């Protein structure tokens, strides 16, 4: 089946809404960028968006035909990439897992909370199989006891809890199974660690927590363990890639504008030998951009047919994230080469986009790891045979 690239009227309207929010955010994003992460204002309170309808809420409420909820969400994310977090995440990672995979009693008990995701640890980042957080069942109280530390957790300081990845006691074969637990911040033994300062995306809260003999009821244990996390990754990784390529689209447009001011206007019809270095570089970066964007949209098109976060999307989704991350890194670097000193001047947002863009190829799995996963899948290797 061919991918249909035409947009509906509602797609166009929703994308315009996302663009308008981004344009409004740009008026204050430099100021927000200078505020340390720990002090950024609450999303909903920001004057730029207070009282307006969130584009993602409008997407949910849309009655007219759209290309599909996942395709349109991704299109909106690309054109409306954040300048700062204008809204709380429409569906935090952990809350999504509970509401999607929890049983009715779990949805009733935990579905209302803003829950983030706790996977990464000091010695288990790119490789979650190295997870050391432990979960032990106490039959006497029908509770689970959790111990461990999680780091680099998005929005932990703005959440009410987390879905935590932990390993249980060894089974008969000696393997320690993965489990997911809902842990609320107020639980005894749960302690937040200080927020982390970082290179870019200063609006993005990042912190961690430790769990010392944290007891949760058996209701807090979700079925399917790591499979839940994988499903969310399958949905989200192309969206993260779309955020990155959206950011570098802005950088490309800015670079075009700056080159035009110096009298360099890209002529796409010119032969390769007739082009200047700058023209050739821009055209090549745009070709890479198109390739990454096509791969991202293909996964979303597949997701519309297979269902949200379908497990069959794992490899395609990893390809989209790896391609998007690579395009974001190479294009942001390439634009800086063409811009020279103006690229690093705080007079423009280009230097901020450059800093913000780097994260795309780290979170939700670094490119190096996705390339390994893809190669294993395509070549039929197991983990341990190709590492
Ligand atoms: C802004 C931000 C938000 C995040 N949000 C969350 C969150 O909400 N929840 C959460 O659990 N985590 C989150 N993370 C953590 C993120 O998922 C990890 O940073 C990522 O998985 C990489 O882990 P690491 O940083 O520990 O790198 P490491 O595992 O220490 O790896 C370091 C580098 O080595 C490379 N590398 C590792 N192994 C190999 C190999 N075998 N071959 C080749 N290269 C290799 C990696 O690609 C990486 O570049 C976030 C991180 C950031 C920066």
């Amino acid at each position: 089946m061919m991918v249909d690239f035409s947009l509906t009227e509602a797609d166009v309207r929703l994308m315009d809404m996302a663009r308008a929010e981004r344009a409004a955010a740009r008026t204050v994003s430099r100021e927000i960028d200078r505020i340390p992460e720990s002090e950024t204002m609450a999303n909903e309170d920001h004057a730029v968006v207070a009282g307006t309808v969130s584009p993602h809420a409008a997407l949910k409420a849309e009655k007219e035909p759209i290309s599909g909820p996942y395709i349109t969400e991704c299109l909106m994310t690309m054109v409306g990439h954040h300048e700062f977090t204008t809204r709380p995440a429409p569906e935090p990672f952990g809350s999504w897992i509970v509401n999607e995979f929890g049983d009715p009693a779990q949805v009733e008990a935990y579905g209302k909370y803003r829950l983030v995701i706790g996977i990464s640890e000091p010695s288990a980042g790119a490789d979650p199989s190295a997870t050391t957080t432990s979960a032990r069942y106490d039959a006497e109280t029908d509770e689970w006891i959790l111990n461990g530390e999680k780091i680099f957790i998005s929005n932990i300081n703005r959440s009410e809890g987390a879905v935590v990845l932990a390993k249980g006691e060894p089974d008969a074969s000696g393997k320690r199974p993965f489990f997911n637990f809902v842990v609320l911040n107020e639980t005894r033994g749960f302690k937040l660690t200080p927020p982390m300062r970082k290179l870019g995306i200063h609006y993005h809260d990042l912190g961690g927590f430790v769990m010392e003999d944290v007891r949760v009821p058996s209701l807090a244990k979700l079925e399917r363990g790591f499979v839940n996390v994988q499903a969310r990754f399958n949905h989200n990784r192309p969206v993260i890639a779309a955020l990155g390529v959206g950011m570098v689209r802005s950088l490309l447009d800015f670079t075009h504008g700056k080159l035009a001011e110096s009298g360099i206007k890209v002529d796409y019809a010119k032969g390769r030998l007739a082009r200047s270095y700058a023209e050739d570089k821009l055209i090549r970066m745009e070709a890479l951009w198109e390739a990454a964007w096509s791969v991202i949209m293909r996964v979303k098109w597949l997701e519309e047919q297979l269902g949200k976060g379908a497990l069959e999307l794992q490899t395609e989704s990893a390809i989209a994230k790896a391609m998007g991350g690579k395009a974001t890194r190479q294009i942001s670097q390439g634009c800086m080469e063409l811009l020279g000193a103006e690229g690093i001047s705080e007079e423009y947002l280009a230097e901020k986009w450059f800093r913000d863009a780097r994260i795309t190829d780290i979170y939700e799995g670094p490119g190096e790891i996705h390339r390994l996963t893809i190669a294993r899948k395509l070549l039929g290797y197991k983990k341990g045979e190709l590492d």
Side-chain angles (χ1 to χ4, degrees):
M1 210 197 301
M2 294 263 288
V3 180
D4 177 3
F5 284 108
S6 56
L7 300 177
T8 69
E9 277 179 26
D11 287 335
V12 174
R13 184 164 27 79
L14 288 162
M15 287 165 74
D16 282 346
M17 223 177 145
R19 273 194 198 95
E21 180 149 308
R22 184 190 63 185
R26 276 191 185 165
T27 61
V28 291
S29 62
R30 169 63 67 197
E31 175 199 328
I32 303 257
D33 184 59
R34 293 194 174 120
I35 304 174
E37 280 87 339
S38 54
E39 292 168 27
T40 43
M41 55 197 80
N43 300 298
E44 294 285 33
D45 294 343
H46 205 285
V48 166
V49 294
T52 62
V53 177
S54 135
H56 285 276
L59 168 64
K60 250 188 171 164
E62 183 60 55
K63 297 275 185 295
E64 298 299 318
I66 53 172
S67 289
Y70 316 134
I71 291 178
T72 308
E73 177 197 31
C74 209
L75 289 166
M76 291 169 70
T77 303
M78 198 279 283
V79 298
H81 71 85
H82 316 314
E83 285 298 338
F84 63 94
T85 315
T86 38
R87 315 275 183 182
E91 225 180 5
F93 201 134
S95 309
W96 184 81
I97 289 181
V98 169
N99 287 314
E100 203 78 12
F101 304 119
D103 64 30
Q106 291 170 324
V107 173
E108 163 90 26
Y110 303 116
K112 57 183 180 275
Y113 294 113
R114 287 189 62 75
L115 303 171
V116 294
I117 185 73
I119 304 170
S120 304
E121 300 182 359
S123 54
D127 180 10
S129 68
T131 296
T132 59
T133 294
S134 66
R136 187 168 57 79
Y137 183 61
D138 181 351
E140 240 171 66
T141 59
D142 191 24
E143 288 173 320
W144 286 84
I145 305 168
L146 306 179
N147 279 286
E149 178 176 5
K150 298 289 178 184
I151 57 170
F152 306 146
I153 307 304
S154 296
N155 298 317
I156 183 68
N157 296 297
R158 296 172 189 173
S159 73
E160 294 158 287
V163 168
V164 170
L165 191 70
K167 278 187 171 178
E169 309 268 279
D171 60 19
S173 67
K175 275 197 181 152
R176 293 180 59 199
F178 274 118
F179 295 130
N180 298 153
F181 295 91
V182 179
V183 183
L184 299 178
N185 292 4
E186 68 213 18
T187 317
R188 184 196 293 246
F190 181 99
K191 262 184 265 145
L192 292 174
T193 49
M196 180 180 149
R197 307 240 12 218
K198 50 191 160 19
L199 172 77
I201 57 167
H202 290 159
Y203 56 79
H204 185 113
D205 166 51
L206 201 62
F209 56 88
V210 288
M211 294 175 295
E212 283 172 4
D213 291 330
V214 163
R215 285 178 169 265
V216 292
S218 55
L219 181 69
K221 178 172 161 289
L222 302 162
E223 291 307 316
R224 305 200 329 157
F226 196 73
V227 178
N228 291 338
V229 175
Q230 189 60 58
R232 172 67 182 199
F233 277 151
N234 290 350
H235 173 77
N236 225 34
R237 282 176 169 155
V239 179
I240 296 292
L243 258 180
V245 300
M247 233 179 266
V248 292
R249 182 69 256 171
S250 295
L251 252 178
L252 281 168
D253 294 343
F254 177 78
T255 308
H256 268 290
K258 280 287 157 198
L259 290 182
E261 281 173 20
S262 327
I264 303 171
K265 199 157 181 338
V266 178
D267 178 354
Y268 293 88
K270 246 193 235 169
R272 202 176 150 194
L273 293 178
R275 287 179 206 147
S276 66
Y277 171 77
E279 280 176 298
D280 190 61
K281 190 160 180 85
L282 260 180
I283 290 174
R284 282 165 186 275
M285 288 195 292
E286 289 192 320
L288 175 61
W289 190 93
E290 295 275 348
W293 182 232
S294 308
V295 172
I296 293 167
M297 288 319 291
R298 183 179 139 71
V299 187
K300 287 294 149 184
W301 174 76
L302 282 172
E303 191 175 12
E304 295 290 353
Q305 294 158 66
L306 296 172
K308 190 167 188 176
L311 294 178
E312 300 92 311
L313 292 169
Q314 186 176 349
T315 304
E316 299 275 354
S317 178
I319 293 172
K321 177 67 171 53
M323 277 285 287
K326 177 180 159 180
T328 304
R329 279 168 77 160
Q330 293 189 347
I331 295 171
S332 53
Q333 188 70 42
C335 286
M336 297 314 261
E337 283 167 26
L338 293 178
L339 289 167
E342 284 192 307
I344 57 164
S345 162
E346 284 203 3
E347 195 182 340
Y348 307 108
L349 287 173
E351 69 80 31
K352 176 182 172 298
W353 296 330
F354 177 69
R355 285 185 286 110
D356 288 353
R358 183 59 183 88
I359 177 67
T360 311
D361 208 23
I362 301 177
Y363 62 172
E364 301 237 355
E368 295 81 6
I369 301 304
H370 286 307
R371 281 186 281 279
L372 269 178
T373 316
I374 297 160
R376 274 188 213 127
K377 180 76 186 173
L378 299 182
L379 302 173
Y381 285 109
K382 291 200 182 80
K383 190 167 169 9
E385 293 173 337
L386 186 64
D387 267 324

